Amino acid sequence: MINRLANKVLDLDLFKKVLALAIPFKSAFIGTTILAIALAVLSPLTPFLIQQTVDKYIAVSDKIGLQNIIILLIVVLCTTSFCRYLFIYFSNWLGQSIVKDLRTQVFNHVSSLKLRFFDQTPIGTATTRTINDVEAINSVFSAGIINIVADLLTIVVVLGFMFTTSWKLTLVCLITFPIFLYATYLFKEGIKSTFQIVRNEVSRMNAFLQEHVTGMNIVQIFAAEERELSRFQDINASHRDANIKAIWYYSIFFPAIEIISASALGLMVWYGSNLVLTDGATLGILIAFILYINMLFRPLRFIADKFNTLQMGLVAAERVFTLLETDDTIIDEGTVSADGLKGEIKFNNVKFAYNEVDLVLKGISFHLEAGKTMAIVGATGAGKSSIINILNRFYEIQEGEILVDGVNAKEYKLQSLRSKIGLVLQDVFLFSGSVMDNITLRNPKISEEQVIEAAKIVGAHQFISKLPGQYDYNVMERGATLSLGQRQLISFIRTLVFDPTILVLDEATSSIDTETEELVQNGIQRLVKGRTSIVIAHRLSTIQNVDMIMVLDKGLIVEIGTHEELLSMEDGYYRRLHDMQFLVHG
């Protein structure tokens, strides 16, 4: 992607897509463009008026005329300053407004992607796309296209004034222009490639930091701090080197431009002085040209930098658009509402693979009646969690069908179906915020009374009441200030208050100690009452009272029946699991 852009002066298709982002803010875009044109016209008026002041009023000692033109000059300067203020403000307002809407659009799109996307994409990279790359698009409007147009217009108008005033002096000023353009071209090409490397290094650093800060406990457990620090130092050094290379280009370019512009000024003064002495030009023209040269070279000095800013904004835009065009989303074409769902579940010859090739589930068929509880057991990798993932439509199946109350799951509105399925995972994720917010997920329809009642049902009210601030206690990021068992209890409350018709417990008690488990089991029994429930558990002692147990092995159902029925099979898979587990635990 970057190489493709690097080989183009400007990707017009991409440029059009970026400009289309400004359509909702058309008035601001047009207004800013008008201001750019106004500044291009107003800026050269100052040296022109100074020329008139010197030649027509100071030279002839016209005090009244001098007073009037000074007033006019002050008005022009104030008007120019005010227009420049409006231009800077509105160009940046436009960029930030576009960024705000685009970032919301990106976040909304990312939240609709299949979990496969997050399996394959580092979170730090996705974060870079949503924050750094989107922010870079702001520069396309605030410091890119509109500023380039304004500078180009200024150059054209200034040259017009210069040629009109003295074409000879203008040509002398432009003698160094080819050297200036060549130096600008070299700078543009060099800094462009460097900026691309810098953005890649930023993305790489974000991905590394996010991953390692999140997994810092693993780093410390295995005493890997020095090794990971060494890796970070390498990434950090690469980022530093890329930035230093960019700085090197600037350190060469700007002094070179100063020399070139100073040479142009020196040639103009030398030739202009001769013209003044021979009455070929006036002193006012000479003074005006000194100002014109500054106005001519100043925007040229920065236009290469702004063009690279535009280019890098386009590079970032392509990354963002690529993310937005990622169609790895769950197709939501359902029209059936899940309101009034009873909870009957039926799998008919379901086949599923995470990578579309290697099947994890190889033809699963079962029927779970509404209000009944089914446990799924099996070794790691047998496909237990995969059944949960496809029931919630986090992933799409390759073959077969999943029926809920006799209706294909794809025919339900996605959010409606998911709202009726409560899922309690082994790895509980809590957001930074209060206990209450983590339970309700800021849903205003859930009252504090409902939360407290649910907490009492699952046996969590007692420990929450002892926390500083109770339900307002800040659990910090990922619930770092709570134990595993406490986090699990909060996840039970969260599920209960949303009152699901179908309840899924994915090894929900595996992280809880025996004492806490006894506390939770009571709550689980009340939680599953009247609900269709699927329980995945390694501890077979927790599932003896379920209505049906399904045993999976390598993506296939090898046994299905009640606890007693499966134990009666002498060489059965479940019997072996049961005997091994209870032998180990005494």
Side-chain angles (χ1 to χ4, degrees):
M1 174 189 68
I2 293 175
N3 290 335
R4 182 169 70 81
L5 276 179
N7 294 328
K8 289 188 175 185
V9 175
L10 192 66
D11 189 324
L12 290 178
D13 291 335
L14 179 61
F15 186 62
K16 290 176 183 176
K17 289 172 69 175
V18 173
L19 285 182
L21 295 172
I23 291 176
F25 310 97
K26 185 168 59 177
S27 299
F29 185 82
I30 294 172
T32 307
T33 305
I34 292 172
L35 285 169
I37 296 171
L39 283 171
V41 175
L42 286 170
S43 296
L45 281 178
T46 301
F48 174 76
L49 290 174
I50 289 175
Q51 174 200 331
Q52 299 298 313
T53 302
V54 173
D55 291 341
K56 292 186 177 181
Y57 301 105
I58 294 178
V60 296
S61 301
D62 184 351
K63 294 183 179 180
I64 296 175
L66 179 63
Q67 182 179 349
N68 292 333
I69 200 167
I70 287 176
I71 293 172
L72 178 60
L73 185 60
I74 292 172
V75 170
V76 170
L77 286 171
C78 290
T79 304
T80 304
S81 298
F82 183 66
C83 287
R84 192 168 300 281
Y85 155 73
L86 292 176
F87 176 77
I88 293 171
Y89 178 83
F90 282 111
S91 61
N92 280 276
W93 181 91
L94 176 64
Q96 289 298 331
S97 297
I98 290 170
V99 162
K100 171 183 169 291
D101 282 8
L102 183 60
R103 190 172 285 132
T104 301
Q105 185 181 349
V106 171
F107 180 81
N108 185 52
H109 179 73
V110 168
S111 64
S112 70
L113 292 171
K114 295 178 185 177
L115 292 184
R116 181 185 292 114
F117 171 83
F118 302 100
D119 295 338
Q120 299 171 348
T121 306
I123 295 176
T125 300
T127 302
T128 301
R129 298 290 173 270
T130 310
I131 299 176
N132 300 71
D133 286 337
V134 170
E135 187 61 38
I137 296 174
N138 167 45
S139 63
V140 173
F141 296 94
S142 62
I145 179 62
I146 299 177
N147 276 273
I148 290 174
V149 169
D151 287 344
L152 289 174
L153 285 172
T154 301
I155 291 168
V156 169
V157 175
V158 167
L159 283 173
F161 270 86
M162 291 174 70
F163 273 107
T164 302
T165 304
S166 174
W167 64 270
K168 292 181 180 179
L169 274 179
T170 303
L171 291 178
V172 170
C173 293
L174 296 179
I175 288 176
T176 61
F177 206 63
I179 302 173
F180 180 91
L181 291 178
Y182 182 67
T184 301
Y185 172 78
L186 292 178
F187 170 74
K188 179 182 75 68
E189 291 301 305
I191 204 70
K192 178 173 67 177
S193 61
T194 305
F195 276 171
Q196 290 163 354
I197 296 171
V198 169
R199 295 214 63 80
N200 285 338
E201 292 300 331
V202 168
S203 178
R204 186 177 167 213
M205 183 178 292
N206 282 346
F208 182 91
L209 281 172
Q210 192 282 329
E211 187 177 52
H212 284 72
V213 170
T214 302
M216 188 55 67
N217 59 330
I218 301 299
V219 174
Q220 294 181 352
I221 287 170
F222 290 94
E225 292 94 335
E226 290 188 9
R227 292 191 297 275
E228 297 307 321
L229 175 61
S230 177
R231 287 182 60 197
F232 179 75
Q233 286 175 331
D234 291 340
I235 295 172
N236 200 20
S238 297
H239 181 262
R240 175 205 61 195
D241 293 343
N243 277 286
I244 288 176
K245 190 173 182 181
I247 293 169
W248 181 83
Y249 279 109
Y250 281 102
S251 66
I252 295 295
F253 176 69
F254 284 114
I257 294 307
E258 289 294 332
I259 293 172
I260 294 170
S261 59
S263 299
L265 179 62
L267 286 170
M268 190 279 297
V269 170
W270 168 75
Y271 187 78
S273 299
N274 289 326
L275 286 179
V276 170
L277 293 173
T278 58
D279 294 327
T282 65
L283 183 60
I285 291 175
L286 190 64
I287 294 172
F289 262 74
I290 293 173
L291 298 175
Y292 282 139
I293 286 177
N294 182 55
M295 285 187 172
L296 183 65
F297 280 91
R298 183 172 56 82
L300 284 170
R301 186 182 301 136
F302 294 104
I303 203 165
D305 193 28
K306 290 175 182 178
F307 188 81
N308 276 308
T309 298
L310 173 63
Q311 282 277 66
M312 293 317 301
L314 292 178
V315 170
E318 177 144 352
R319 289 171 172 167
V320 173
F321 288 139
T322 298
L323 176 59
L324 287 173
E325 290 163 4
T326 300
D327 60 356
D328 199 15
T329 57
I330 298 294
I331 299 173
D332 186 13
E333 297 178 345
T335 57
V336 180
S337 172
D339 291 341
L341 199 71
K342 295 179 181 177
E344 179 192 18
I345 300 172
K346 192 172 184 179
F347 276 47
N348 289 331
N349 194 33
V350 172
K351 295 182 181 179
F352 168 68
Y354 286 99
N355 59 3
E356 307 290 339
V357 178
D358 301 316
L359 290 177
V360 177
L361 300 178
K362 305 170 183 177
I364 298 295
S365 298
F366 67 85
H367 179 211
L368 180 59
E369 296 178 10
K372 299 293 185 179
T373 300
M374 180 180 74
I376 305 177
V377 299
T380 301
K384 303 185 298 295
S385 295
S386 298
I387 289 178
I388 307 310
N389 285 331
I390 60 177
L391 176 62
N392 284 272
R393 293 195 65 202
F394 296 139
Y395 300 86
E396 296 284 28
I397 60 177
Q398 278 67 46
E399 292 184 35
E401 61 178 356
I402 301 172
L403 304 177
V404 182
D405 282 6
V407 179
N408 193 306
K410 293 182 179 179
E411 296 181 21
Y412 285 101
K413 297 174 184 176
L414 185 60
Q415 293 303 320
S416 180
L417 176 64
R418 287 180 179 173
S419 69
K420 296 298 179 182
I421 302 175
L423 180 57
V424 180
L425 298 172
Q426 174 185 358
D427 183 19
V428 178
F429 189 96
L430 298 183
F431 298 94
S432 177
S434 68
V435 172
M436 181 66 69
D437 286 344
N438 271 282
I439 292 172
T440 64
L441 298 179
R442 297 183 175 85
N443 187 335
K445 296 180 181 179
I446 300 174
S447 67
E448 184 177 353
E449 290 73 22
Q450 288 175 282
V451 171
I452 294 174
E453 183 181 351
K456 290 178 178 177
I457 290 174
V458 301
H461 180 69
Q462 185 176 1
F463 98 79
I464 294 176
S465 298
K466 293 179 180 178
L467 294 173
Q470 300 182 8
Y471 287 86
D472 292 324
Y473 175 70
N474 192 330
V475 302
M476 305 303 289
E477 187 176 2
R478 300 182 69 89
T481 57
L482 300 177
S483 69
L484 290 174
Q486 289 172 333
R487 295 204 293 268
Q488 195 63 268
L489 286 170
I490 287 177
S491 73
F492 272 97
I493 307 170
R494 180 160 61 192
T495 303
L496 184 58
V497 295
F498 278 87
D499 193 25
T501 303
I502 299 172
L503 179 66
V504 180
L505 305 176
D506 187 359
E507 303 188 25
T509 59
S510 61
S511 299
I512 300 177
D513 56 63
T514 304
E515 182 180 349
T516 308
E517 183 180 349
E518 292 174 0
L519 181 66
V520 169
Q521 283 303 325
N522 231 2
I524 290 177
Q525 293 305 316
R526 299 187 67 175
L527 192 61
V528 302
K529 187 176 180 180
R531 294 182 171 89
T532 305
S533 303
I534 298 176
V535 180
I536 297 176
H538 283 309
R539 297 181 185 179
L540 302 187
S541 59
T542 64
I543 59 171
Q544 294 180 8
N545 297 321
V546 301
D547 299 301
M548 179 172 64
I549 298 174
M550 183 170 69
V551 184
L552 291 181
D553 184 35
K554 298 177 182 177
L556 294 168
I557 299 175
V558 293
E559 293 171 3
I560 193 164
T562 65
H563 175 69
E564 290 76 15
E565 289 171 346
L566 296 180
L567 278 183
S568 66
M569 300 179 187
E570 299 246 348
D571 295 323
Y573 192 102
Y574 181 80
R575 173 69 178 269
R576 291 199 304 273
L577 285 176
H578 183 273
D579 290 347
M580 280 191 298
Q581 197 167 112
F582 280 87
L583 181 65
V584 170
H585 294 289

